[in-house]
Amino acid sequence: MEPLERYRPIIDDFEAFLEACERPLGNAVRVNTIKASVERTLVALEEDGVAYEQADWNPRVLDLETDSPGSTWTSFHGFTHGQEEVSAVPPVVLDPRPGERVWDCCAAPGGKATQIAALMDDRGTVVANDNNLGRISALRFNAERLGATSLAVTNDDARNYSLARFSFDEFDRALVDAPCSCEGTIRKNPDALENWSDGHISSVAGIQKGILRRAIQATREGGTVVYSTCTFAPEENEATVQHALENEPCRVADFDLDLEHSPGLTAWEDETFDSSLEKAARIYPHQNDTGGFFVAKLEVTA
Amino acid sequence: MGGDADADATGGDETNASEGDSVNALEGDDATELEQNDGQRFGRLPATDAERTVEGRASREAVVHYFADRFGIPSGTFDDYTFWEKGAGKIWIFAGDAPSPVEIEAIGMTCLRTRQEHWKPTTDFVQRFGRYATDCVIELERDQARAFASGEDQPLERWDGDWGYLIATHEIAGEFEPLGVGLYVHGELRSVVPKGRQRDL
């Protein structure tokens, strides 16, 4: 937990934060509305004798009281998909509509990409890309199990992604759920901080900047880009968005999130960020008993 | 996981050559001008057999007819979807926009294997669209459904419909829900749920 000490100055109730990071997480699943309604899924779980708790902010997110959420009828039928509660936030902020063209730049293993497809009633085109061929197989497996017919899967580096292969030349929306130092996943994976270093943060931040810039370039004017990570490091969050604000036509947009969170930072160490970064959300583990996340919503401008 | 996750119950890829030959024989000289299937990219299925440009490729009409004829799935179910082939006879169903041909990793979901003696729908397709089926649907009790989901074959004498690929279904939360594809032969329902999709429930 030592790497997290650097956040003491920016996190309210830091001791509660540290304690939450040490507690394991429950078994969260997302209801896949491509296959079944929330109501029917809840009845199926009840028939199966699996107790659940529905998230206040999103009726499609459930915490299951079972040691094996994969060995349920709802999982077999693809009514439910194991996905951490905060990991369901970025697609909701992205707010995609049926029929749109949406790019999920770093999509594997596919929880958010299939959630985007479900939010679009599986109508339209969701381009789910990942640069790692091994993880693409997991993405494809999940997409098929969840019955997503609107997904097109590609295997490329998002930083210099070409749309030439498609019949359209810009997206309506893009999700950049960037590769990151994963500090916020410590409750799920106690080894998450093992490879932590300043060097790792700065190298991953360089990749994040490249991907976010390309996502903005590939999205139409007036379109939406959501940037998210599962880490707390301002170098990977506000600084990455700041870099995009300085180099690409975009502005930070407001969004509603019925989940307790803190505002984005406007300063970190010797850096200052645009005041609009306060509209971003920092979600800490002790606020809602979840993992950690950062989410910013951008509007592409002229 | 991934790739060819769906088990091929008949193992009948050897039949491809003879089927291809018979197509060529039927179409006479025109058939010699057809392109060979390129296994690296997705090509959209032609609307009808007459519009075929790739040797041995099933048409959209034939695919939609197969689902209607075998399973009673109304043809209109697929009005908003396109069908694609990649590899030999692996058919995909897609709701989005893409040019043809396109070289990507996946387009929508796999739905059907053609180019073998008996066409075979995938488990994932049947779970997604099998609810619209009225024919060749076999209803299982909970214990039978459990055995089916774990990949077990089971004796089933009461089926008096066609032999071959069936849609196995069971009741969950007040409605029937397809479990996947079964192969019914000789009084036995064989589960062809692929390994990665099997579950001990």
Side-chain angles (χ1 to χ4, degrees):
Chain A
M1 297 291 164
E2 280 161 38
L4 302 181
E5 276 298 325
R6 65 203 293 260
Y7 306 127
R8 193 178 281 273
I10 59 167
I11 297 179
D12 286 340
D13 202 353
F14 190 74
E15 295 310 319
F17 165 78
L18 281 184
E19 274 171 37
C21 286
E22 276 163 15
R23 286 197 303 271
L25 274 179
N27 285 304
V29 297
R30 175 175 58 80
V31 176
N32 172 37
T33 50
I34 295 173
K35 286 282 192 83
S37 66
V38 172
E39 295 72 24
R40 185 161 180 232
T41 301
L42 298 183
V43 173
L45 286 168
E46 282 158 21
E47 282 180 359
D48 232 359
V50 179
Y52 58 83
E53 203 175 325
Q54 218 164 352
D56 292 334
W57 69 280
N58 187 338
R60 298 179 185 196
V61 174
L62 313 174
D63 190 44
L64 298 191
E65 284 177 37
T66 171
D67 293 332
S68 45
S71 298
T72 56
W73 279 114
T74 60
S75 170
F76 178 75
H77 284 294
F79 294 4
T80 53
H81 177 66
Q83 185 173 342
E84 221 271 282
E85 183 169 346
V86 272
S87 146
V89 169
V92 171
V93 175
L94 187 67
D95 194 23
R97 311 294 164 85
E100 287 187 335
R101 293 164 180 150
V102 180
W103 187 27
D104 187 348
C105 311
C106 315
K112 295 183 192 74
T114 51
Q115 185 183 357
I116 289 168
L119 289 169
M120 292 162 63
D121 297 331
D122 202 25
R123 311 298 316 159
T125 308
V126 181
V127 175
N129 177 70
D130 205 276
N131 70 341
N132 181 314
L133 193 58
R135 287 200 305 261
I136 290 260
S137 68
L139 165 63
R140 287 181 47 190
F141 177 82
N142 285 323
E144 298 225 338
R145 188 179 71 84
L146 299 174
T149 63
S150 54
L151 239 58
V153 178
T154 62
N155 173 213
D156 268 303
D157 186 330
R159 290 173 291 184
N160 46 31
Y161 196 80
S162 168
L163 274 74
R165 72 197 96 194
F166 296 112
S167 47
F168 49 87
D169 54 15
E170 57 187 8
F171 292 102
D172 297 297
R173 294 170 207 264
L175 172 63
V176 183
D177 186 53
C180 70
S181 57
C182 298
E183 295 166 343
T185 66
I186 184 77
R187 300 181 66 180
K188 205 96 200 155
N189 171 19
D191 300 331
L193 300 180
E194 237 162 50
N195 294 318
W196 195 97
S197 70
D198 287 332
H200 180 234
I201 286 187
S202 65
S203 86
V204 86
I207 295 167
Q208 292 160 348
K209 286 172 182 156
I211 299 174
L212 179 54
R213 286 191 65 173
R214 183 69 193 112
I216 295 164
Q217 292 161 3
T219 302
R220 68 169 167 82
E221 185 185 337
T224 300
V225 176
V226 166
Y227 178 77
S228 63
T229 72
C230 52
T231 204
F232 309 114
E235 297 88 341
E236 301 180 49
N237 294 329
E238 287 86 349
T240 301
V241 176
Q242 177 71 29
H243 181 82
L245 293 174
E246 288 166 7
N247 291 283
E248 299 296 336
C250 65
R251 63 177 189 86
V252 182
D254 269 317
F255 59 91
D256 292 323
L257 180 60
D258 294 332
L259 198 60
E260 199 185 326
H261 58 277
S262 300
L265 304 177
T266 52
W268 170 253
E269 296 183 339
D270 51 5
E271 264 190 279
T272 56
F273 308 121
D274 193 273
S275 61
S276 64
L277 268 156
E278 282 186 352
K279 297 175 182 174
R282 296 185 144 260
I283 306 169
Y284 295 117
H286 60 301
Q287 293 175 319
N288 310 279
D289 196 21
T290 63
F293 237 79
F294 173 86
V295 188
K297 182 174 190 170
L298 302 176
E299 185 193 320
V300 179
T301 55
Chain B
M1 215 180 259
D4 288 314
D6 224 281
D8 181 354
T10 61
D13 279 349
E14 295 80 3
T15 61
N16 287 350
S18 59
E19 195 178 26
D21 289 344
S22 67
V23 167
N24 285 345
L26 283 172
E27 298 190 353
D29 289 341
D30 289 348
T32 58
E33 291 165 24
L34 294 180
E35 293 169 44
Q36 293 299 302
N37 181 50
D38 180 342
Q40 298 306 306
R41 59 193 202 183
F42 290 92
R44 191 178 298 149
L45 298 195
T48 62
D49 287 355
E51 291 168 55
R52 175 169 27 221
T53 59
V54 173
E55 182 272 319
R57 178 164 289 167
S59 65
R60 174 188 173 88
E61 185 180 57
V63 166
V64 171
H65 178 261
Y66 166 78
F67 289 133
D69 184 54
R70 173 79 192 170
F71 299 109
I73 299 175
S75 305
T77 307
F78 305 110
D79 283 354
D80 295 334
Y81 297 92
T82 50
F83 292 95
W84 302 70
E85 181 181 38
K86 185 188 184 190
K90 197 173 183 181
I91 309 296
W92 303 61
I93 181 168
F94 183 49
D97 298 333
S100 180
V102 61
E103 267 190 68
I104 55 178
E105 297 298 317
I107 190 162
M109 66 188 293
T110 55
C111 66
L112 184 67
R113 282 218 176 251
T114 60
R115 305 204 189 210
Q116 54 193 32
E117 191 179 352
H118 298 288
W119 286 12
K120 175 186 174 292
T122 64
T123 294
D124 292 314
F125 171 81
V126 160
Q127 281 202 351
R128 173 75 160 82
F129 293 96
R131 68 188 60 192
Y132 307 112
T134 51
D135 300 334
C136 292
V137 177
I138 188 164
E139 291 166 12
L140 303 182
E141 303 297 326
R142 190 50 68 101
D143 284 350
Q144 295 170 321
R146 200 169 279 127
F148 187 88
S150 68
E152 287 172 36
D153 301 336
Q154 47 192 319
L156 242 167
E157 297 295 350
R158 65 185 165 81
W159 178 252
D160 55 6
D162 287 351
W163 286 25
Y165 292 118
L166 307 180
I167 293 175
T169 185
H170 74 144
E171 200 175 336
I172 179 167
E175 289 172 50
F176 279 96
E177 188 69 26
L179 293 149
V181 182
L183 178 64
Y184 185 81
V185 276
H186 303 297
E188 185 179 66
L189 180 68
R190 297 183 191 159
S191 169
V192 298
V193 175
K195 272 231 157 48
R197 292 285 275 111
Q198 293 172 7
R199 291 282 189 286
D200 283 319
L201 292 147

